[in-house]
Amino acid sequence: MTDLVLSLDVTERASALRIARACAEDVDAIKVGYPLVLGAGLGIARDLADLGIPLIADFKVADIPNTNTLICDQVFAAGFSAVIAQAFPGPDSVVACVESAHTHGGECYVVAEMSHPGALTFFSEGVPEAICRLVVETGADGIIAPATRPARIRALRDLIGERKILSPGVGAQGGDPAEVAPLVDGMIVGRAIYGAADPAAAARVYAPYRR
Ligand code: 3DU
């Protein structure tokens, strides 16, 4: 029903490679963000990409267009196949990320609504809906939507057409994979897998939901 995206939020290279190798058969992509890149260096991306698993850069890129281009060009040169951007800097900033992604044969996802409780302070009152319209206008490949609020995923799905939804919040944040998997294109799971004594076994828990 959905891809399983491992959010590899460990901070040491050795742990990252051990977990990624152990889970390689049981996940469809790996999401890497600041914790791992700041802890292990950007070179970790090439090490992980060499395992043959698509890599998503969760840097929530949010700057002026020129800086976004510089950041995204580095992301794709490092071996990532997708980047996650924030929408709030505006359409030109998102376009910069989309153009860099597509120039490199990659994808750009935009955060439409976050999964934690405090997200509702600013991701409310039509803002996620406006972000979805921006995603369509800018040609971005999809959105990030909260597994902790399946009703919101359904509402946002109606606004983005064929574009994809990647959804964090399953597992440690309480999202239910049985409810979320049919709604999304990728289910993002971090602590429930990398924090388990046996990460591969923990990843296989999600096997019934994978397409
Ligand atoms: O809660 P987990 O340990 O399964 O990790 C979720 C990951 O997804 C983590 O890297 C977090 O930074 C990211 N994320 C969200 O949790 C919620 C969002 O709205 C966007 C990204």
Side-chain angles (χ1 to χ4, degrees), residues 1 18 36 54 57 73 104 108 116 123 131 134 145 155 169 174 176 182 187 189-190 204 207:
M1 291 190 281
R18 177 178 51 78
L36 181 53
D73 285 351
H104 292 89
C108 176
H116 59 304
F123 287 101
I131 292 174
L134 180 147
D176 175 8
M187 201 163 56
V189 182
R204 283 196 289 275

Side-chain angles (χ1 to χ4, degrees), residues 21 28 31 40 66 68 85 100 115 117 158:
R21 286 194 188 109
D28 302 290
K31 182 175 80 65
N66 184 65
N68 278 4
S100 173
S115 57
D158 288 343

